């Protein structure tokens, strides 16, 4: 079978090359649906992408042409029918129907402007701004063409997307990693007193035609402009391939040196050490039972005691070890702890939705040592230019429980910036929930309940059609995605539920339980419903309708 | 403020007048969004509708012009901007994108071809066909312009929509009622040995400008062609206004005479009696506590014993009296029984969705005395040419319980016509549910579970994201819409769940509990998930993926 190759010369006379993109379902593109688009200049390949073009696009992708302004380019399309290449348009205007105002775009959770997003990457804080990066396919609705999306926020709630930080190249797709500010210029790469900022990433060799024959390595890109643009380091790779598909470097300062956690394979991780962020020595291998990929490393004071700082080595699916650094060794002090998202994932085969957050990462360098974590929530809206959202940022603490040290989580207090209508009552009956006036209800809500717990008596409410049940007999919280032991509960159960268009987050027992559930809810169902509570039990309620995070700032690029 | 009136002359040169209809939310049109469209001929008003026209329609309404073929008509539009009237098109082709194949159209539940549907009406069986009628606004997505939709089916599953049975006129909108075949021609209206078929309806006077000053009455339309077309009876009304908004006649043969149940007001009903279906005498007033509107009357043998036939007087929200006829008196033998949909409605303030079925009606004259009931499920898909679906037909039986005689319900066995992929296991653990191969799962499924019940031990599963919990401590089934006492359960709990794109139906305890829940589910979530079950308890499962009811017959009018 001959593969059709079409070519077309264009002049970058507009800012954008617009791509009519077919809808896609699932993690990988369906076989036979992909074409390869190459951008050439003087016969040299500048960019290459896998696309699924369509005359009836789900949405129009935007390939930024500014860097070629006014220049001639040759487009080569391999596969698909000849007319497909003619569908592409050079323009100064995008074809978005109502960017950031789409009916399925979450109101209170970060979503990419366009494309398929997955793992959070490179999270750091610098001079009043939180920087968020994430795996992104700007040119499709399943995985591929992996760029690093980049967004900034002063409050972790209102985000502004910036130009992509990393684009795929001949070393492969830009797989996951972490970011760190080299405050003391240990690398010597700082310019003019400005501390250099490092994004550690994984060039995923052999995952594209362009990178055929190359292996997974660890590489770095450096910003000398305060985190606005990143240049890939000429000395890459900084760590060679150590295992078939080693990946996902996350770098932190231990207090004595830099430490980089990477994934090797199975549940095997390694920590490497460096004094200058550029030269790394291999350290111990560690196993996080049940985890894979996307390590994180962060420090937390146990029970808030600065004399008892512990380190957490985290794996993608809500599994972690608590331990400490002893020189250039990580010493686990617990077995692998497995959180609710882990347990949900291990019982999950759905390729289109995530039962809980995945590949969570914390911000390095956040003020006052706070540890703020964001996760990927995999969810496929039926329409619109994006797929997936981020979890609401949560603040982590480490507490002593009867099972040992455990992470607790609560939504960051900054979510209050979105509160636009608040309703409260204390010590009322279950039926009071029916009487909440409708102007307090909405698609996005932050709802805190406090229930008196009576032995053997269920507590059951539903929020936007999602039933939530607490069973004191077994100490379990029952959710549509599973039943979770939330630890010993005293005389009162606190339950916090954050709803939005594509997710429901549930926190219970002072944050010992926390989970982000992918859920596309009926937009017409904004109900809170009492379901069951023993007569005579009082409830405290605090309900905040959440506004639209996108309404305050005009997003970049729109 | 001047109301703009525009006029336009058209020739009925095509079969359809196409109307670009704005989306509407809620039960009534939003204030200020309505225009009045009149069809005139020689200055005489033939038809008048309330419309909300739009340049960006949700869908195109179809006003059938066949009855005016080739004739000149004058259109007058009152309200809105002048250009609106120019948007209307006379055509032989509709503008449906993919009629009956829309992504949100339920697969296994009846939906109207186009428009806003509510109460089932006029249900009868005649010569191998079940006839379904329903309240319909063909020209909008909220209530108004009430026609009677008409559809027929040989198996209660595959339906074919026929031309509207009743159109609004100067007596008002065509509000609800019942249908009956006058098998013995007691009315004398039969022609050529063909039994006449009666649709009793409520002309809702003063609900339109056209019917201003008129009151609610009881009227009838008669078919002498076996139920294909219905002529409004020249002697209408057959029952004058008895109460401010009396309505919803339902007529049955008691064995001695005809009986008509009508709604008066509050929870007050009346039964009238007749020998010829045309002349009616008033009988007793009856109260069905908690009910309103839409009565039904049907006979069932208690425990299947033909010597113990009882009559049920039913009100719209799943409330009923069980009793008997004593001559021309209905004698209740129970207090009002209130089913789960009733309890859900009474705790419900959402104007866009129904917590359970509403205005259920049974078919008169069904073979072998079977009593088959269908209800309205109020649900608003985000897009597409229709709003609301019907419940799956259920077969009712009357059984003796510790509380007295109670209706039990199960989906009709004909649903088996849609089974296209079946998966079964017996006495396996809860985790077996995770192992169901994906080809057995779908948006529409009929799933039967059987669980061993252990004292104090919860049973919890989720189906397409809907959590369902049984609590043996309280004997309650917990659903997102409420907690329901399902009566004493023996050593095993049977649970049947029927899912579709716009609803989830739940039946439990041999049908003592049954409820149709409006629920727009995430199309990507076709999961069954184990949530909680005491270790060692076995489950029986029988899972049928349901095919598309619309794929077998080309629907009429498409």
């Amino acid at each position: 079978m001959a593969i059709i190759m079409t070519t077309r010369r264009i002049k970058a006379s507009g800012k954008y090359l617009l791509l009519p993109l077919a809808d896609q379902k699932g993690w990988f593109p369906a076989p036979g649906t992909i074409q390869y688009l190459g951008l050439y200049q003087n016969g040299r390949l500048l960019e290459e992408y896998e696309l699924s073009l369509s005359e009836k696009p789900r949405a129009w992708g935007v390939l930024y042409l500014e860097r070629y302004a006014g220049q001639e380019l040759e487009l080569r399309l391999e596969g698909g029918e000849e007319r497909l290449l003619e569908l592409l348009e050079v323009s100064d205007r995008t074809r978005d129907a109502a960017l950031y105002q789409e009916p399925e775009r979450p109101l209170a959770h970060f979503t990419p402007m366009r494309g398929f997003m997955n793992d959070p990457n490179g999270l750091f804080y610098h001079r009043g701004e939180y920087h968020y990066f994430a795996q992104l396919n700007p040119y499709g609705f399943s995985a591929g063409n992996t760029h690093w999306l980049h967004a900034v926020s002063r409050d972790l709630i209102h985000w502004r997307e910036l130009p992509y930080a990393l684009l795929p190249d001949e070393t492969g797709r830009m797989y996951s990693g972490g970011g760190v500010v080299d405050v003391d210029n240990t690398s010597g790469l700082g310019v003019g007193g400005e501390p250099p900022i490092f994004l550690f990433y994984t060039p995923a060799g052999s995952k594209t035609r362009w990178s055929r024959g190359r292996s997974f390595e660890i590489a770095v890109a450096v910003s000398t402009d305060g985190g606005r643009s990143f240049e890939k380091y000429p000395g890459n790779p900084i760590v060679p391939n150590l295992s078939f598909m080693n990946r996902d470097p996350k770098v932190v300062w231990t207090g004595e040196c830099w430490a980089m956690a990477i994934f090797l394979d199975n549940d095997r991780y390694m920590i490497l050490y460096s004094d200058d962020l550029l030269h790394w020595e291999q350290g111990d291998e560690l196993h996080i039972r049940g985890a894979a990929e996307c390590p994180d490393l962060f420090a937390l004071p146990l029970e808030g005691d600065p004399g008892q700082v512990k380190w957490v080595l985290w794996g993608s699916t809500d599994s972690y070890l608590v331990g400490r650094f002893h020189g250039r060794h990580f010493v686990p002090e617990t077995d692998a702890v497995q959180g609710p998202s882990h347990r949900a994932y291990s019982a999950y085969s759905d390729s289109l939705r995530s039962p809980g957050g995945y590949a969570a990462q914390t911000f390095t360098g956040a003020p006052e040592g706070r540890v703020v974590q964001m996760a990927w929530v995999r969810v496929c809206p039926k329409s619109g230019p994006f797929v997936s959202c981020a979890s609401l940022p949560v603040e982590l603490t480490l507490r002593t429980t009867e099972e040992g040290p455990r992470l607790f989580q609560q939504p960051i207090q900054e979510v209050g910036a979105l509160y636009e209508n608040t309703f409260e009552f204390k010590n009322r009956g279950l039926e009071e929930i029916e009487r909440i006036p409708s102007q307090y209800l909405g698609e996005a809500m932050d709802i805190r309940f406090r229930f008196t717990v009576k032995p053997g008596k269920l507590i059951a409410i539903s929020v936007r059609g999602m039933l939530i049940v607490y069973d004191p007999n077994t100490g379990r919280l029952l959710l549509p995605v599973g039943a979770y032991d939330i630890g010993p509960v005293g005389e009162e159960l606190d339950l916090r539920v954050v709803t939005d268009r594509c997710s429901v987050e549930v926190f219970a027992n002072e944050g010992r339980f926390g989970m982000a559930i992918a859920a596309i809810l009926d937009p017409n169902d904004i109900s809170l419903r009492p379901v069951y509570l023993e007569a005579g039990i009082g409830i405290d309620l605090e309900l905040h309708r959440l506004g639209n995070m996108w309404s305050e700032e005009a997003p970049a690029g729109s």
Side-chain angles (χ1 to χ4, degrees), chain A residues 171 189 198 200-201 203 214 217-222 231-240 277-280:
Chain A
T171 66
L189 296 182
F198 281 64
F200 293 87
Y201 66 94
R214 304 186 71 128
E217 293 160 343
I218 304 298
V220 70
V222 182
E231 291 287 329
K232 289 167 183 164
Y233 180 59
N236 281 334
I238 54 164
V239 179
L277 290 166
L278 297 170
H279 303 86
W280 293 87

Side-chain angles (χ1 to χ4, degrees), chain A residues 8 62 83 92 95 150 166 169-170 186 217 231 277 319 332 342 348 380 394 419 422 430 444 489 551:
Chain A
R8 181 178 157 196
V62 174
R83 64 189 156 66
D92 274 330
R95 293 183 55 152
H150 185 193
L166 298 175
D169 58 25
E170 70 282 359
T186 61
E217 293 160 343
E231 291 287 329
L277 290 166
S319 302
H342 174 83
Y348 213 72
C380 297
V394 292
Y419 291 175
T422 294
L430 190 64
V489 167
S551 61

Side-chain angles (χ1 to χ4, degrees), chain A residues 237-252:
Chain A
I238 54 164
V239 179
N241 181 269
L242 300 177
S243 163
F244 177 48
M245 279 196 187
N246 61 196
R247 57 187 184 267
D248 309 339
K250 168 76 183 192
V251 173
V252 287

Side-chain angles (χ1 to χ4, degrees), chain A residues 356-488:
Chain A
Y358 188 84
Q361 192 177 101
T362 60
F363 289 86
T364 60
E368 294 163 32
R370 74 189 295 211
V371 177
V372 176
Q373 188 188 54
M374 293 176 76
W376 168 38
V377 178
R378 179 161 193 197
V379 64
C380 297
K382 276 187 280 190
S383 61
F386 69 95
V387 170
S388 292
C389 67
S391 72
L392 202 63
V394 292
E395 188 145 352
L396 300 181
T397 51
L398 190 66
R399 301 199 198 170
T400 300
T401 75
E402 76 293 347
E403 297 183 309
R406 289 292 181 272
L407 291 172
F408 280 54
Q409 56 174 287
Q410 287 289 352
I412 51 163
Q413 53 89 11
E414 287 94 331
V415 69
L418 294 178
Y419 291 175
E420 59 174 24
N421 218 351
T422 294
F423 188 81
E424 286 181 89
F425 59 71
K426 280 194 191 295
N427 198 26
R428 299 281 178 83
L430 190 64
E431 67 288 353
E432 195 72 16
I433 289 176
E434 295 160 16
R435 301 194 188 116
I436 300 170
S438 61
Q439 69 266 31
Y440 295 96
L441 304 172
E443 288 184 82
M445 295 183 278
D446 181 0
I447 313 157
R448 302 183 206 202
F449 301 92
R450 191 167 283 274
F451 303 95
T452 306
V453 176
K454 287 201 178 179
K457 303 298 183 185
L458 294 187
I459 295 169
I461 51 129
S462 73
V463 177
R464 297 199 60 203
M466 183 178 284
L467 177 60
I468 300 171
V469 179
Y470 176 66
D471 175 17
N473 279 341
T474 61
R476 281 188 170 79
L477 195 67
L478 276 58
L479 299 170
V481 289
Y484 302 98
D485 184 345
I486 62 169

Side-chain angles (χ1 to χ4, degrees), chain A residues 71-315:
Chain A
Q71 301 173 32
E72 299 267 339
L73 292 166
E74 189 188 16
L75 306 181
R76 292 188 199 164
L77 189 74
E78 237 176 273
E81 299 181 34
E82 288 195 34
R83 64 189 156 66
L84 285 178
L85 193 55
E86 296 308 312
L87 300 175
L88 277 53
E89 295 175 16
V90 176
S91 175
D92 274 330
R93 298 182 62 167
T94 65
R95 293 183 55 152
D96 303 299
L99 195 66
Y100 285 109
Q101 302 302 324
E102 301 90 350
E104 295 190 79
R105 179 149 336 236
L107 300 168
H109 290 78
F110 178 77
T111 41
M113 188 186 302
R114 302 184 188 88
F116 176 98
M117 182 175 78
N118 50 300
D119 310 348
N121 290 151
L123 276 54
F124 67 84
Y125 173 88
H126 182 57
R127 293 189 183 155
E129 280 185 329
Y130 291 89
H131 288 251
Y132 184 85
F133 305 82
Q135 298 279 289
L136 183 81
N137 179 2
Y139 311 125
F141 302 103
S142 58
N145 301 314
T146 317
H147 291 52
W148 277 34
L149 164 159
H150 185 193
V152 290
S153 173
R154 295 197 160 266
D155 65 0
L156 288 161
I157 297 294
H158 296 90
W159 293 92
R160 189 161 55 91
E161 204 174 311
L162 299 178
Y164 304 131
L166 298 175
L167 273 68
D169 58 25
E170 70 282 359
T171 66
R173 295 177 181 162
M174 299 288 104
Y175 275 18
S176 291
V180 74
V181 181
D182 182 14
V183 179
D184 295 326
N185 196 20
T186 61
S187 63
L189 296 182
V191 175
E194 184 77 31
I197 303 177
F198 281 64
L199 296 183
F200 293 87
Y201 66 94
T202 309
S206 294
K207 284 283 180 183
T208 58
R209 306 195 311 173
W210 203 5
S211 63
R212 200 171 284 153
R214 304 186 71 128
S215 57
F216 277 43
E217 293 160 343
I218 304 298
V220 70
V222 182
S223 170
T224 53
D225 61 0
R228 255 44 196 173
S229 65
F230 293 85
E231 291 287 329
K232 289 167 183 164
Y233 180 59
N236 281 334
I238 54 164
V239 179
N241 181 269
L242 300 177
S243 163
F244 177 48
M245 279 196 187
N246 61 196
R247 57 187 184 267
D248 309 339
K250 168 76 183 192
V251 173
V252 287
W253 178 253
T254 69
E256 294 180 12
C257 63
W258 297 105
M260 174 196 289
I262 64 169
F263 172 68
L264 295 178
D265 52 39
N266 301 306
D267 65 357
R268 207 160 58 102
Y269 293 81
M270 180 184 279
I271 301 183
L272 299 92
Y273 298 91
S274 171
D275 294 311
D276 65 0
L277 290 166
L278 297 170
H279 303 86
W280 293 87
E281 61 186 79
Q282 297 178 37
D284 301 309
E285 282 184 24
L286 293 141
H287 293 260
I288 311 176
R289 188 172 47 84
E293 311 186 315
C294 301
D296 198 358
L297 257 178
F298 49 90
L300 277 167
L302 185 61
E303 294 290 336
D305 175 0
Q308 282 203 75
V309 171
K310 301 289 177 186
W311 281 86
V312 175
L313 175 63
W314 170 282

